[in-house]
PDB file of all heavy atoms in Angstrom:
ATOM      1  N   TYR A  30      68.763  81.364 113.361  1.00 84.00           N
ATOM      2  CA  TYR A  30      69.357  82.126 114.465  1.00 84.00           C
ATOM      3  C   TYR A  30      68.332  82.495 115.537  1.00 84.00           C
ATOM      4  O   TYR A  30      68.680  82.928 116.627  1.00 84.00           O
ATOM      5  CB  TYR A  30      69.963  83.431 113.908  1.00 84.00           C
ATOM      6  CG  TYR A  30      68.870  84.372 113.465  1.00 84.00           C
ATOM      7  CD1 TYR A  30      68.328  85.296 114.360  1.00 84.00           C
ATOM      8  CD2 TYR A  30      68.310  84.298 112.181  1.00 84.00           C
ATOM      9  CE1 TYR A  30      67.286  86.123 113.981  1.00 84.00           C
ATOM     10  CE2 TYR A  30      67.271  85.114 111.807  1.00 84.00           C
ATOM     11  CZ  TYR A  30      66.765  86.028 112.711  1.00 84.00           C
ATOM     12  OH  TYR A  30      65.705  86.826 112.349  1.00 84.00           O
ATOM     13  N   THR A  79      59.286  87.255 109.784  1.00 96.00           N
ATOM     14  CA  THR A  79      60.525  88.033 109.822  1.00 96.00           C
ATOM     15  C   THR A  79      61.081  88.242 108.421  1.00 96.00           C
ATOM     16  O   THR A  79      60.395  87.936 107.425  1.00 96.00           O
ATOM     17  CB  THR A  79      61.544  87.385 110.792  1.00 96.00           C
ATOM     18  OG1 THR A  79      62.648  88.282 110.953  1.00 96.00           O
ATOM     19  CG2 THR A  79      62.061  86.040 110.304  1.00 96.00           C
ATOM     20  N   ILE A  80      62.312  88.784 108.353  1.00 92.00           N
ATOM     21  CA  ILE A  80      62.974  89.109 107.079  1.00 92.00           C
ATOM     22  C   ILE A  80      62.899  87.920 106.131  1.00 92.00           C
ATOM     23  O   ILE A  80      63.193  86.813 106.569  1.00 92.00           O
ATOM     24  CB  ILE A  80      64.464  89.465 107.335  1.00 92.00           C
ATOM     25  CG1 ILE A  80      64.550  90.698 108.255  1.00 92.00           C
ATOM     26  CG2 ILE A  80      65.210  89.716 106.042  1.00 92.00           C
ATOM     27  CD1 ILE A  80      65.981  90.998 108.742  1.00 92.00           C
ATOM     28  N   LYS A  83      58.044  90.748 106.190  1.00 95.00           N
ATOM     29  CA  LYS A  83      57.173  91.577 107.036  1.00 95.00           C
ATOM     30  C   LYS A  83      56.264  92.504 106.215  1.00 95.00           C
ATOM     31  O   LYS A  83      55.120  92.745 106.585  1.00 95.00           O
ATOM     32  CB  LYS A  83      58.006  92.417 108.009  1.00 95.00           C
ATOM     33  CG  LYS A  83      58.559  91.601 109.167  1.00 95.00           C
ATOM     34  CD  LYS A  83      59.291  92.483 110.170  1.00 95.00           C
ATOM     35  CE  LYS A  83      59.894  91.605 111.259  1.00 95.00           C
ATOM     36  NZ  LYS A  83      60.637  92.356 112.262  1.00 95.00           N
ATOM     37  N   GLU A  84      56.797  93.027 105.115  1.00 94.00           N
ATOM     38  CA  GLU A  84      55.993  93.922 104.275  1.00 94.00           C
ATOM     39  C   GLU A  84      55.333  93.143 103.134  1.00 94.00           C
ATOM     40  O   GLU A  84      54.176  93.374 102.797  1.00 94.00           O
ATOM     41  CB  GLU A  84      56.867  95.048 103.733  1.00 94.00           C
ATOM     42  CG  GLU A  84      57.315  95.985 104.842  1.00 94.00           C
ATOM     43  CD  GLU A  84      58.565  96.773 104.523  1.00 94.00           C
ATOM     44  OE1 GLU A  84      58.646  97.319 103.418  1.00 94.00           O
ATOM     45  OE2 GLU A  84      59.458  96.853 105.381  1.00 94.00           O
ATOM     46  N   ASP A 119      56.172  94.676 116.995  1.00 98.00           N
ATOM     47  CA  ASP A 119      57.484  95.328 117.103  1.00 98.00           C
ATOM     48  C   ASP A 119      57.320  96.765 117.599  1.00 98.00           C
ATOM     49  O   ASP A 119      58.209  97.296 118.269  1.00 98.00           O
ATOM     50  CB  ASP A 119      58.180  95.388 115.728  1.00 98.00           C
ATOM     51  CG  ASP A 119      58.789  94.051 115.326  1.00 98.00           C
ATOM     52  OD1 ASP A 119      59.074  93.230 116.213  1.00 98.00           O
ATOM     53  OD2 ASP A 119      58.970  93.832 114.106  1.00 98.00           O
ATOM     54  N   PHE A 142      69.432 104.587 113.345  1.00 98.00           N
ATOM     55  CA  PHE A 142      70.282 104.001 112.311  1.00 98.00           C
ATOM     56  C   PHE A 142      69.509 102.872 111.635  1.00 98.00           C
ATOM     57  O   PHE A 142      69.024 101.967 112.313  1.00 98.00           O
ATOM     58  CB  PHE A 142      71.564 103.419 112.911  1.00 98.00           C
ATOM     59  CG  PHE A 142      72.543 104.465 113.363  1.00 98.00           C
ATOM     60  CD1 PHE A 142      72.656 104.796 114.701  1.00 98.00           C
ATOM     61  CD2 PHE A 142      73.360 105.112 112.443  1.00 98.00           C
ATOM     62  CE1 PHE A 142      73.571 105.758 115.112  1.00 98.00           C
ATOM     63  CE2 PHE A 142      74.270 106.074 112.849  1.00 98.00           C
ATOM     64  CZ  PHE A 142      74.373 106.392 114.191  1.00 98.00           C
ATOM     65  N   GLY A 143      69.414 102.929 110.287  1.00 97.00           N
ATOM     66  CA  GLY A 143      68.706 101.894 109.539  1.00 97.00           C
ATOM     67  C   GLY A 143      67.426 102.433 108.938  1.00 97.00           C
ATOM     68  O   GLY A 143      66.837 103.402 109.457  1.00 97.00           O
ATOM     69  N   ALA A 144      67.027 101.824 107.814  1.00 96.00           N
ATOM     70  CA  ALA A 144      65.795 102.254 107.147  1.00 96.00           C
ATOM     71  C   ALA A 144      65.004 101.033 106.704  1.00 96.00           C
ATOM     72  O   ALA A 144      64.256 101.084 105.732  1.00 96.00           O
ATOM     73  CB  ALA A 144      66.148 103.144 105.959  1.00 96.00           C
ATOM     74  N   GLY A 145      65.186  99.911 107.404  1.00 91.00           N
ATOM     75  CA  GLY A 145      64.471  98.685 107.056  1.00 91.00           C
ATOM     76  C   GLY A 145      63.198  98.525 107.880  1.00 91.00           C
ATOM     77  O   GLY A 145      62.659  99.507 108.418  1.00 91.00           O
ATOM     78  N   GLY A 146      62.742  97.279 107.980  1.00 89.00           N
ATOM     79  CA  GLY A 146      61.474  96.996 108.662  1.00 89.00           C
ATOM     80  C   GLY A 146      61.489  97.402 110.127  1.00 89.00           C
ATOM     81  O   GLY A 146      60.508  97.966 110.635  1.00 89.00           O
ATOM     82  N   ALA A 147      62.606  97.133 110.816  1.00 93.00           N
ATOM     83  CA  ALA A 147      62.661  97.457 112.242  1.00 93.00           C
ATOM     84  C   ALA A 147      62.655  98.975 112.437  1.00 93.00           C
ATOM     85  O   ALA A 147      61.980  99.493 113.332  1.00 93.00           O
ATOM     86  CB  ALA A 147      63.905  96.837 112.869  1.00 93.00           C
ATOM     87  N   ALA A 148      63.399  99.707 111.570  1.00 95.00           N
ATOM     88  CA  ALA A 148      63.430 101.168 111.672  1.00 95.00           C
ATOM     89  C   ALA A 148      62.022 101.743 111.477  1.00 95.00           C
ATOM     90  O   ALA A 148      61.627 102.704 112.134  1.00 95.00           O
ATOM     91  CB  ALA A 148      64.388 101.743 110.631  1.00 95.00           C
ATOM     92  N   ALA A 168      70.859 106.222 107.166  1.00 97.00           N
ATOM     93  CA  ALA A 168      71.064 104.938 106.483  1.00 97.00           C
ATOM     94  C   ALA A 168      72.227 105.035 105.519  1.00 97.00           C
ATOM     95  O   ALA A 168      72.607 106.130 105.098  1.00 97.00           O
ATOM     96  CB  ALA A 168      69.795 104.550 105.724  1.00 97.00           C
ATOM     97  N   ARG A 169      72.805 103.877 105.165  1.00 96.00           N
ATOM     98  CA  ARG A 169      73.938 103.941 104.230  1.00 96.00           C
ATOM     99  C   ARG A 169      73.450 104.333 102.837  1.00 96.00           C
ATOM    100  O   ARG A 169      74.210 104.848 102.040  1.00 96.00           O
ATOM    101  CB  ARG A 169      74.719 102.634 104.219  1.00 96.00           C
ATOM    102  CG  ARG A 169      73.926 101.397 103.928  1.00 96.00           C
ATOM    103  CD  ARG A 169      74.804 100.177 104.067  1.00 96.00           C
ATOM    104  NE  ARG A 169      74.022  98.951 103.924  1.00 96.00           N
ATOM    105  CZ  ARG A 169      74.544  97.748 104.038  1.00 96.00           C
ATOM    106  NH1 ARG A 169      75.814  97.597 104.307  1.00 96.00           N
ATOM    107  NH2 ARG A 169      73.772  96.680 103.892  1.00 96.00           N
ATOM    108  N   ASP A 170      72.183 104.085 102.556  1.00 95.00           N
ATOM    109  CA  ASP A 170      71.584 104.529 101.294  1.00 95.00           C
ATOM    110  C   ASP A 170      70.586 105.650 101.632  1.00 95.00           C
ATOM    111  O   ASP A 170      69.494 105.394 102.137  1.00 95.00           O
ATOM    112  CB  ASP A 170      70.873 103.321 100.641  1.00 95.00           C
ATOM    113  CG  ASP A 170      70.229 103.682  99.320  1.00 95.00           C
ATOM    114  OD1 ASP A 170      70.133 104.887  99.016  1.00 95.00           O
ATOM    115  OD2 ASP A 170      69.808 102.758  98.606  1.00 95.00           O
ATOM    116  N   LYS A 173      66.913 105.413 100.677  1.00 97.00           N
ATOM    117  CA  LYS A 173      66.029 104.559 101.486  1.00 97.00           C
ATOM    118  C   LYS A 173      65.569 105.293 102.746  1.00 97.00           C
ATOM    119  O   LYS A 173      64.420 105.157 103.171  1.00 97.00           O
ATOM    120  CB  LYS A 173      66.751 103.263 101.874  1.00 97.00           C
ATOM    121  CG  LYS A 173      66.913 102.303 100.704  1.00 97.00           C
ATOM    122  CD  LYS A 173      67.447 100.963 101.156  1.00 97.00           C
ATOM    123  CE  LYS A 173      67.733 100.076  99.954  1.00 97.00           C
ATOM    124  NZ  LYS A 173      68.585  98.935 100.279  1.00 97.00           N
ATOM    125  N   ILE A 195      74.754 107.773 106.121  1.00 94.00           N
ATOM    126  CA  ILE A 195      75.609 107.351 107.230  1.00 94.00           C
ATOM    127  C   ILE A 195      77.034 107.890 107.095  1.00 94.00           C
ATOM    128  O   ILE A 195      77.750 108.014 108.082  1.00 94.00           O
ATOM    129  CB  ILE A 195      75.576 105.796 107.320  1.00 94.00           C
ATOM    130  CG1 ILE A 195      75.680 105.325 108.760  1.00 94.00           C
ATOM    131  CG2 ILE A 195      76.602 105.143 106.424  1.00 94.00           C
ATOM    132  CD1 ILE A 195      75.174 103.907 108.970  1.00 94.00           C
ATOM    133  N   ASN A 212      70.083 101.771 117.332  1.00 98.00           N
ATOM    134  CA  ASN A 212      70.610 100.956 116.240  1.00 98.00           C
ATOM    135  C   ASN A 212      69.524 100.000 115.756  1.00 98.00           C
ATOM    136  O   ASN A 212      69.208  99.018 116.428  1.00 98.00           O
ATOM    137  CB  ASN A 212      71.835 100.153 116.678  1.00 98.00           C
ATOM    138  CG  ASN A 212      72.321  99.246 115.552  1.00 98.00           C
ATOM    139  OD1 ASN A 212      72.095  99.522 114.370  1.00 98.00           O
ATOM    140  ND2 ASN A 212      72.992  98.162 115.907  1.00 98.00           N
ATOM    141  N   ALA A 213      68.959 100.302 114.578  1.00 97.00           N
ATOM    142  CA  ALA A 213      67.967  99.410 113.962  1.00 97.00           C
ATOM    143  C   ALA A 213      68.559  98.768 112.715  1.00 97.00           C
ATOM    144  O   ALA A 213      67.866  98.534 111.726  1.00 97.00           O
ATOM    145  CB  ALA A 213      66.685 100.175 113.635  1.00 97.00           C
ATOM    146  N   THR A 214      69.882  98.523 112.732  1.00 96.00           N
ATOM    147  CA  THR A 214      70.558  97.743 111.683  1.00 96.00           C
ATOM    148  C   THR A 214      71.112  96.480 112.351  1.00 96.00           C
ATOM    149  O   THR A 214      71.185  96.423 113.577  1.00 96.00           O
ATOM    150  CB  THR A 214      71.750  98.515 111.057  1.00 96.00           C
ATOM    151  OG1 THR A 214      72.876  98.414 111.943  1.00 96.00           O
ATOM    152  CG2 THR A 214      71.442  99.975 110.812  1.00 96.00           C
ATOM    153  N   PRO A 215      71.569  95.485 111.554  1.00 92.00           N
ATOM    154  CA  PRO A 215      72.163  94.295 112.199  1.00 92.00           C
ATOM    155  C   PRO A 215      73.620  94.503 112.625  1.00 92.00           C
ATOM    156  O   PRO A 215      74.246  93.553 113.083  1.00 92.00           O
ATOM    157  CB  PRO A 215      72.082  93.226 111.092  1.00 92.00           C
ATOM    158  CG  PRO A 215      71.537  93.890 109.881  1.00 92.00           C
ATOM    159  CD  PRO A 215      71.446  95.351 110.105  1.00 92.00           C
ATOM    160  N   VAL A 216      74.167  95.725 112.471  1.00 95.00           N
ATOM    161  CA  VAL A 216      75.577  95.972 112.830  1.00 95.00           C
ATOM    162  C   VAL A 216      75.809  95.632 114.306  1.00 95.00           C
ATOM    163  O   VAL A 216      75.058  96.074 115.170  1.00 95.00           O
ATOM    164  CB  VAL A 216      75.950  97.446 112.547  1.00 95.00           C
ATOM    165  CG1 VAL A 216      77.301  97.801 113.143  1.00 95.00           C
ATOM    166  CG2 VAL A 216      75.960  97.687 111.043  1.00 95.00           C
ATOM    167  N   THR A 218      75.928  92.396 115.295  1.00 90.00           N
ATOM    168  CA  THR A 218      75.433  91.034 115.496  1.00 90.00           C
ATOM    169  C   THR A 218      76.585  90.039 115.488  1.00 90.00           C
ATOM    170  O   THR A 218      77.420  90.055 114.581  1.00 90.00           O
ATOM    171  CB  THR A 218      74.437  90.643 114.364  1.00 90.00           C
ATOM    172  OG1 THR A 218      73.400  91.601 114.338  1.00 90.00           O
ATOM    173  CG2 THR A 218      73.860  89.254 114.599  1.00 90.00           C
ATOM    174  N   LEU A 226      79.527  91.633 110.314  1.00 74.00           N
ATOM    175  CA  LEU A 226      78.708  92.604 111.046  1.00 74.00           C
ATOM    176  C   LEU A 226      79.167  92.804 112.481  1.00 74.00           C
ATOM    177  O   LEU A 226      78.877  93.814 113.103  1.00 74.00           O
ATOM    178  CB  LEU A 226      77.238  92.161 111.048  1.00 74.00           C
ATOM    179  CG  LEU A 226      76.553  92.311 109.695  1.00 74.00           C
ATOM    180  CD1 LEU A 226      75.190  91.678 109.727  1.00 74.00           C
ATOM    181  CD2 LEU A 226      76.442  93.778 109.311  1.00 74.00           C
ATOM    182  N   ALA A 229      81.720  95.605 112.155  1.00 86.00           N
ATOM    183  CA  ALA A 229      81.311  96.814 111.414  1.00 86.00           C
ATOM    184  C   ALA A 229      80.948  97.913 112.424  1.00 86.00           C
ATOM    185  O   ALA A 229      80.599  97.620 113.571  1.00 86.00           O
ATOM    186  CB  ALA A 229      80.107  96.490 110.533  1.00 86.00           C
ATOM    187  N   ARG A 230      81.055  99.169 111.995  1.00 92.00           N
ATOM    188  CA  ARG A 230      80.730 100.279 112.902  1.00 92.00           C
ATOM    189  C   ARG A 230      79.655 101.164 112.268  1.00 92.00           C
ATOM    190  O   ARG A 230      79.550 101.248 111.053  1.00 92.00           O
ATOM    191  CB  ARG A 230      81.968 101.137 113.144  1.00 92.00           C
ATOM    192  CG  ARG A 230      83.085 100.445 113.904  1.00 92.00           C
ATOM    193  CD  ARG A 230      84.102 101.501 114.354  1.00 92.00           C
ATOM    194  NE  ARG A 230      83.473 102.532 115.166  1.00 92.00           N
ATOM    195  CZ  ARG A 230      83.316 102.453 116.481  1.00 92.00           C
ATOM    196  NH1 ARG A 230      83.771 101.421 117.131  1.00 92.00           N
ATOM    197  NH2 ARG A 230      82.713 103.415 117.153  1.00 92.00           N
ATOM    198  N   LEU A 231      78.896 101.855 113.119  1.00 95.00           N
ATOM    199  CA  LEU A 231      77.883 102.782 112.616  1.00 95.00           C
ATOM    200  C   LEU A 231      78.493 104.162 112.385  1.00 95.00           C
ATOM    201  O   LEU A 231      78.009 104.927 111.553  1.00 95.00           O
ATOM    202  CB  LEU A 231      76.729 102.883 113.615  1.00 95.00           C
ATOM    203  CG  LEU A 231      75.896 101.616 113.755  1.00 95.00           C
ATOM    204  CD1 LEU A 231      75.030 101.665 114.991  1.00 95.00           C
ATOM    205  CD2 LEU A 231      75.034 101.412 112.511  1.00 95.00           C
ATOM    206  N   ASP A 247      69.934  99.437 121.431  1.00 98.00           N
ATOM    207  CA  ASP A 247      70.357  98.570 120.330  1.00 98.00           C
ATOM    208  C   ASP A 247      69.321  97.471 120.125  1.00 98.00           C
ATOM    209  O   ASP A 247      69.003  96.740 121.069  1.00 98.00           O
ATOM    210  CB  ASP A 247      71.733  97.943 120.657  1.00 98.00           C
ATOM    211  CG  ASP A 247      72.450  97.487 119.393  1.00 98.00           C
ATOM    212  OD1 ASP A 247      71.763  97.174 118.405  1.00 98.00           O
ATOM    213  OD2 ASP A 247      73.690  97.458 119.398  1.00 98.00           O
ATOM    214  N   LEU A 248      68.807  97.346 118.909  1.00 98.00           N
ATOM    215  CA  LEU A 248      67.821  96.282 118.651  1.00 98.00           C
ATOM    216  C   LEU A 248      68.485  94.909 118.557  1.00 98.00           C
ATOM    217  O   LEU A 248      67.842  93.883 118.731  1.00 98.00           O
ATOM    218  CB  LEU A 248      67.035  96.573 117.360  1.00 98.00           C
ATOM    219  CG  LEU A 248      65.758  97.406 117.555  1.00 98.00           C
ATOM    220  CD1 LEU A 248      66.057  98.744 118.175  1.00 98.00           C
ATOM    221  CD2 LEU A 248      65.000  97.583 116.260  1.00 98.00           C
ATOM    222  N   VAL A 249      69.796  94.913 118.281  1.00 95.00           N
ATOM    223  CA  VAL A 249      70.537  93.642 118.228  1.00 95.00           C
ATOM    224  C   VAL A 249      70.593  93.053 119.635  1.00 95.00           C
ATOM    225  O   VAL A 249      70.833  93.785 120.598  1.00 95.00           O
ATOM    226  CB  VAL A 249      71.969  93.885 117.689  1.00 95.00           C
ATOM    227  CG1 VAL A 249      72.820  92.636 117.793  1.00 95.00           C
ATOM    228  CG2 VAL A 249      71.913  94.377 116.244  1.00 95.00           C
ATOM    229  N   TYR A 250      70.326  91.757 119.768  1.00 93.00           N
ATOM    230  CA  TYR A 250      70.367  91.147 121.108  1.00 93.00           C
ATOM    231  C   TYR A 250      71.379  90.006 121.210  1.00 93.00           C
ATOM    232  O   TYR A 250      71.522  89.387 122.260  1.00 93.00           O
ATOM    233  CB  TYR A 250      68.982  90.640 121.513  1.00 93.00           C
ATOM    234  CG  TYR A 250      68.337  89.706 120.533  1.00 93.00           C
ATOM    235  CD1 TYR A 250      68.692  88.368 120.476  1.00 93.00           C
ATOM    236  CD2 TYR A 250      67.367  90.180 119.649  1.00 93.00           C
ATOM    237  CE1 TYR A 250      68.106  87.523 119.550  1.00 93.00           C
ATOM    238  CE2 TYR A 250      66.774  89.335 118.727  1.00 93.00           C
ATOM    239  CZ  TYR A 250      67.146  88.015 118.689  1.00 93.00           C
ATOM    240  OH  TYR A 250      66.569  87.185 117.768  1.00 93.00           O
ATOM    241  N   GLY A 271      68.569  94.968 123.091  1.00 97.00           N
ATOM    242  CA  GLY A 271      67.565  94.398 122.193  1.00 97.00           C
ATOM    243  C   GLY A 271      66.803  93.240 122.829  1.00 97.00           C
ATOM    244  O   GLY A 271      65.696  92.903 122.389  1.00 97.00           O
ATOM    245  N   LEU A 272      67.393  92.651 123.868  1.00 97.00           N
ATOM    246  CA  LEU A 272      66.712  91.553 124.558  1.00 97.00           C
ATOM    247  C   LEU A 272      65.385  92.030 125.175  1.00 97.00           C
ATOM    248  O   LEU A 272      64.397  91.301 125.194  1.00 97.00           O
ATOM    249  CB  LEU A 272      67.620  91.001 125.665  1.00 97.00           C
ATOM    250  CG  LEU A 272      67.129  89.736 126.347  1.00 97.00           C
ATOM    251  CD1 LEU A 272      67.121  88.575 125.373  1.00 97.00           C
ATOM    252  CD2 LEU A 272      67.997  89.405 127.555  1.00 97.00           C
ATOM    253  N   MET A 274      63.462  94.420 123.967  1.00 98.00           N
ATOM    254  CA  MET A 274      62.472  94.532 122.883  1.00 98.00           C
ATOM    255  C   MET A 274      61.983  93.148 122.477  1.00 98.00           C
ATOM    256  O   MET A 274      60.788  92.943 122.227  1.00 98.00           O
ATOM    257  CB  MET A 274      63.075  95.257 121.681  1.00 98.00           C
ATOM    258  CG  MET A 274      62.148  95.255 120.481  1.00 98.00           C
ATOM    259  SD  MET A 274      62.725  96.300 119.147  1.00 98.00           S
ATOM    260  CE  MET A 274      61.528  95.873 117.877  1.00 98.00           C
ATOM    261  N   LEU A 275      62.931  92.191 122.415  1.00 98.00           N
ATOM    262  CA  LEU A 275      62.560  90.822 122.049  1.00 98.00           C
ATOM    263  C   LEU A 275      61.486  90.294 123.013  1.00 98.00           C
ATOM    264  O   LEU A 275      60.477  89.705 122.601  1.00 98.00           O
ATOM    265  CB  LEU A 275      63.806  89.925 122.092  1.00 98.00           C
ATOM    266  CG  LEU A 275      63.578  88.481 121.679  1.00 98.00           C
ATOM    267  CD1 LEU A 275      63.394  88.375 120.172  1.00 98.00           C
ATOM    268  CD2 LEU A 275      64.762  87.593 122.104  1.00 98.00           C
ATOM    269  N   LEU A 276      61.706  90.545 124.302  1.00 98.00           N
ATOM    270  CA  LEU A 276      60.759  90.078 125.318  1.00 98.00           C
ATOM    271  C   LEU A 276      59.410  90.802 125.194  1.00 98.00           C
ATOM    272  O   LEU A 276      58.350  90.181 125.287  1.00 98.00           O
ATOM    273  CB  LEU A 276      61.323  90.345 126.713  1.00 98.00           C
ATOM    274  CG  LEU A 276      62.271  89.297 127.257  1.00 98.00           C
ATOM    275  CD1 LEU A 276      63.057  89.856 128.443  1.00 98.00           C
ATOM    276  CD2 LEU A 276      61.484  88.056 127.694  1.00 98.00           C
ATOM    277  N   GLN A 278      58.056  92.425 122.546  1.00 98.00           N
ATOM    278  CA  GLN A 278      57.270  92.079 121.347  1.00 98.00           C
ATOM    279  C   GLN A 278      56.758  90.647 121.451  1.00 98.00           C
ATOM    280  O   GLN A 278      55.650  90.328 121.046  1.00 98.00           O
ATOM    281  CB  GLN A 278      58.019  92.370 120.041  1.00 98.00           C
ATOM    282  CG  GLN A 278      59.327  91.620 119.793  1.00 98.00           C
ATOM    283  CD  GLN A 278      59.134  90.200 119.290  1.00 98.00           C
ATOM    284  OE1 GLN A 278      58.137  89.898 118.652  1.00 98.00           O
ATOM    285  NE2 GLN A 278      60.070  89.328 119.615  1.00 98.00           N
TER     286      GLN A 278
HETATM  287  P1  LIG B  17      66.151  94.907 107.355  1.00 53.75           P
HETATM  288  O1  LIG B  17      64.751  95.211 106.953  1.00 53.75           O
HETATM  289  O2  LIG B  17      66.992  93.982 106.542  1.00 53.75           O
HETATM  290  O3  LIG B  17      66.908  96.333 107.468  1.00 53.75           O
HETATM  291  C1  LIG B  17      68.241  96.406 107.898  1.00 53.75           C
HETATM  292  C2  LIG B  17      68.726  97.851 107.812  1.00 53.75           C
HETATM  293  O4  LIG B  17      70.085  97.866 108.268  1.00 53.75           O
HETATM  294  C3  LIG B  17      68.751  98.420 106.396  1.00 53.75           C
HETATM  295  O5  LIG B  17      68.543  99.798 106.460  1.00 53.75           O
HETATM  296  C4  LIG B  17      70.185  98.109 105.955  1.00 53.75           C
HETATM  297  O6  LIG B  17      70.659  98.954 104.937  1.00 53.75           O
HETATM  298  C5  LIG B  17      70.929  98.405 107.238  1.00 53.75           C
HETATM  299  N1  LIG B  17      72.240  97.766 107.269  1.00 53.75           N
HETATM  300  C6  LIG B  17      72.519  96.451 107.052  1.00 53.75           C
HETATM  301  N2  LIG B  17      73.855  96.243 107.183  1.00 53.75           N
HETATM  302  C7  LIG B  17      74.403  97.447 107.471  1.00 53.75           C
HETATM  303  C8  LIG B  17      75.755  97.907 107.686  1.00 53.75           C
HETATM  304  N3  LIG B  17      76.786  97.052 107.656  1.00 53.75           N
HETATM  305  N4  LIG B  17      75.945  99.218 107.941  1.00 53.75           N
HETATM  306  C9  LIG B  17      74.901 100.083 107.989  1.00 53.75           C
HETATM  307  N5  LIG B  17      73.615  99.715 107.766  1.00 53.75           N
HETATM  308  C10 LIG B  17      73.374  98.427 107.526  1.00 53.75           C
HETATM  309  O7  LIG B  17      66.217  94.325 108.849  1.00 53.75           O
HETATM  310  P2  LIG B  17      65.244  94.713 110.071  1.00 53.75           P
HETATM  311  O8  LIG B  17      64.085  93.795 110.119  1.00 53.75           O
HETATM  312  O9  LIG B  17      65.015  96.172 109.984  1.00 53.75           O
HETATM  313  O10 LIG B  17      66.170  94.337 111.327  1.00 53.75           O
HETATM  314  C11 LIG B  17      67.283  95.144 111.692  1.00 53.75           C
HETATM  315  C12 LIG B  17      67.923  94.567 112.958  1.00 53.75           C
HETATM  316  O11 LIG B  17      67.024  94.696 114.065  1.00 53.75           O
HETATM  317  C13 LIG B  17      68.257  93.057 112.848  1.00 53.75           C
HETATM  318  O12 LIG B  17      69.493  92.820 113.478  1.00 53.75           O
HETATM  319  C14 LIG B  17      67.146  92.396 113.642  1.00 53.75           C
HETATM  320  O13 LIG B  17      67.557  91.165 114.232  1.00 53.75           O
HETATM  321  C15 LIG B  17      66.905  93.445 114.714  1.00 53.75           C
HETATM  322  N6  LIG B  17      65.562  93.332 115.304  1.00 53.75           N
HETATM  323  C16 LIG B  17      65.487  93.083 116.651  1.00 53.75           C
HETATM  324  C17 LIG B  17      64.254  92.981 117.244  1.00 53.75           C
HETATM  325  C18 LIG B  17      64.177  92.702 118.722  1.00 53.75           C
HETATM  326  O14 LIG B  17      63.131  92.256 119.179  1.00 53.75           O
HETATM  327  N7  LIG B  17      65.210  92.997 119.482  1.00 53.75           N
HETATM  328  C19 LIG B  17      63.077  93.129 116.480  1.00 53.75           C
HETATM  329  C20 LIG B  17      63.190  93.400 115.102  1.00 53.75           C
HETATM  330  C21 LIG B  17      64.449  93.502 114.525  1.00 53.75           C
HETATM  331  P3  LIG B  17      70.518  98.546 103.369  1.00 53.75           P
HETATM  332  O15 LIG B  17      69.065  98.714 103.048  1.00 53.75           O
HETATM  333  O16 LIG B  17      71.400  99.493 102.702  1.00 53.75           O
HETATM  334  O17 LIG B  17      70.946  97.108 103.271  1.00 53.75           O
END
Side-chain angles (χ1 to χ4, degrees):
Y30 70 90
T79 189
I80 299 171
K83 285 184 183 179
E84 292 157 46
D119 282 337
F142 288 101
R169 55 185 174 182
D170 180 348
K173 287 188 186 164
I195 214 160
N212 177 26
T214 79
V216 169
T218 304
L226 288 172
R230 294 193 57 88
L231 292 165
D247 202 333
L248 270 59
V249 172
Y250 54 79
L272 188 66
M274 173 171 173
L275 182 74
L276 276 164
Q278 62 80 28

